[in-house]
Structure formats: C-alpha cells, structure tokens
Amino acid sequence: MQFFVDTADTGEIARLQKIGLIDGVTTNPSLIMKSGRDFKEVIAEICAITDGPVSAEVTATQADKMLIEGRTLARIAGNVVVKIPLTMAGLEACKAFTEEGIKTNVTLCFSANQGLLAAKAGATYISPFLGRLDDIGMDGMDLIEALRVIYDNYGFETQILAASIRGPKHVQECAMLGADVATIPPNVFDALVAHPLTDKGLAAFLADWGKTGQSIT
Ligand code: G3P
C-alpha cells in the first residue's frame, strides 16, 4: 500500500519525506488556500522534495479550460498528476489527458458508478472521499469495497486512492479492503504510530537499562 501525504504544507511534507514512508503528495484548492502560498510555486517546491506523484488540481469547470490548466500544471515537473473533479467535463478532460500521457487523479468521487466512469476514462487514480461520506451518515468503506470489486472484475488499472481520511481506523480499513493508496493528513500520519502501550513499554525498558549502568557505544 502506498502512502501519500494530503497537505500543501511543505514543512510537513519535508518532515515526513525524511522518515522515508511517504510515496507521494496530494493537494486541493482548500489546502492551497490554507498554505497561504502561490499555487504553482508551492507545487514546484513539493516536487523538489519528493520524486513521487504530486496531485495538483485544476479549477476550471469546462473540459477545454481544464486541459489548458492541466497542461500548465504538468509542465511544472515530471511528477505532477493533474487532479480533475468527477464531472462530465472532468471525465472528458481525463480521457484527453490519458491520451496525451498526462497522469490524472479524478477527485470528489462519492459513488461506485462515478468510479467506474473514471476508470473507463483512463484515470491513473480515483479519489473516493471517505470522511465526507461518513459525515452524511454513509459508510465510506462501502465505496472502497465496491470500487475494489469493480476494478478487479474488469482489470481496470486505475488505482484506488482513498482520500478524506480522518483517522487511523480509516487507514487500517482501507488497507484491509485493498485500496492501492491512502492519502493521509500529517496529524493522522503521526497518530498511526502512536500507542500508549508502546510509550509505557519504552519508558520501562529505558528505566531498567539506566539501572544496568551500561552503554551500547
Ligand atoms: O484529498 C481530499 C481530502 O483532502 C479531503 O479531505 O477532510 O477535507 O474531506 P477532507
């Protein structure tokens, strides 16, 4: 399973990249707004931090304009993935990008049929939004499960990129259901490693080690 980090905060990306467990980055217009930075500048900086796929989202709503924006974004660096909304115009642009060899991440997916259409349009990634489905009383994991079955039934190569992840349980369940990628906010990434019994156990080991008076080096 691949882990992307879902943020436009380059400090956080650099911190997690250094640990070596990050395979790529996703952004969206809200995360760019939160960063307070110039969009193209921040995407270039992220692409200099990681060689992995970096999703940058178009903001046009018509296919021809999405194509112009997406090509502009793709020119920033070779690892840019153009993120496109799951609309009819977005699917048209996705198909054209695929034919041009530009990688795509079709975002704002909330149903299995939407995901089926994105796969037929040749999307590199599909982004089902788990947390936002949970927010309206649905179960985001049902969508991951359905997409996995559909893509496997027909051998679609589109990768399931679980998005809108709000906590460690989302990550675990996505892994169990066979999502290809999880895009994880930095605070959730930190929560994945945290366990009170690990902290307690380590404190006890270190206290006992101190009593031995020994040193490894
Ligand atoms: O990758 C999409 C993700 O950032 C959306 O997350 O928490 O705003 O629903 P959220």
Side-chain angles (χ1 to χ4, degrees):
M1 187 186 203
Q2 293 208 313
F3 281 168
F4 292 175
V5 59
D6 194 29
T7 185
D9 181 333
T10 51
E12 286 290 69
I13 295 165
R15 176 178 73 86
L16 293 167
Q17 172 72 17
K18 186 168 172 286
I19 297 165
L21 296 175
I22 293 299
D23 302 294
V25 176
T26 53
T27 67
N28 62 39
S30 300
L31 292 171
I32 296 297
M33 185 271 293
K34 209 169 147 192
S35 78
R37 297 192 48 193
D38 177 81
F39 180 28
K40 287 186 272 183
E41 189 182 288
V42 82
I43 294 297
E45 194 174 318
I46 295 169
C47 290
I49 297 171
T50 176
D51 290 337
V54 175
S55 288
E57 188 161 342
V58 299
T59 52
T61 54
Q62 292 168 305
D64 55 345
K65 295 202 171 75
M66 287 180 187
L67 288 173
I68 293 167
E69 288 188 357
R71 289 180 195 128
T72 303
L73 294 171
R75 277 195 294 271
I76 294 175
N79 52 331
V80 166
V81 173
V82 177
K83 206 169 176 186
I84 317 158
L86 214 160
T87 59
M88 209 52 101
L91 293 170
E92 184 182 338
C94 178
K95 182 107 177 108
F97 283 131
T98 302
E99 281 161 12
E100 288 177 27
I102 291 176
K103 290 193 172 153
T104 51
N105 175 358
V106 178
T107 189
L108 291 166
C109 173
F110 295 98
S111 80
N113 280 333
Q114 288 181 321
L116 176 57
L117 290 171
K120 282 193 72 70
T124 314
Y125 300 99
I126 182 71
S127 286
F129 274 33
L130 306 181
R132 293 191 195 187
L133 280 168
D134 293 354
D135 288 345
I136 60 160
M138 296 179 74
D139 187 346
M141 289 305 153
D142 290 345
L143 179 53
I144 299 290
E145 192 171 12
L147 289 171
R148 185 73 282 156
V149 169
I150 291 168
Y151 287 5
D152 289 349
N153 278 351
Y154 296 100
F156 285 122
E157 288 178 7
T158 300
Q159 294 185 57
I160 300 170
L161 195 176
S164 187
I165 282 185
R166 304 279 174 75
K169 200 159 170 35
H170 273 155
V171 178
Q172 178 188 327
E173 289 177 353
C174 283
M176 289 171 72
L177 291 171
D180 299 288
V181 191
T183 189
I184 306 172
N187 64 316
V188 175
F189 208 94
D190 291 333
L192 292 181
V193 77
H195 198 290
L197 290 179
T198 303
D199 296 342
K200 192 178 166 193
L202 182 59
F205 284 156
L206 293 181
D208 288 343
W209 178 246
K211 289 176 203 156
T212 72
Q214 298 179 47
S215 146
I216 293 175
T217 55

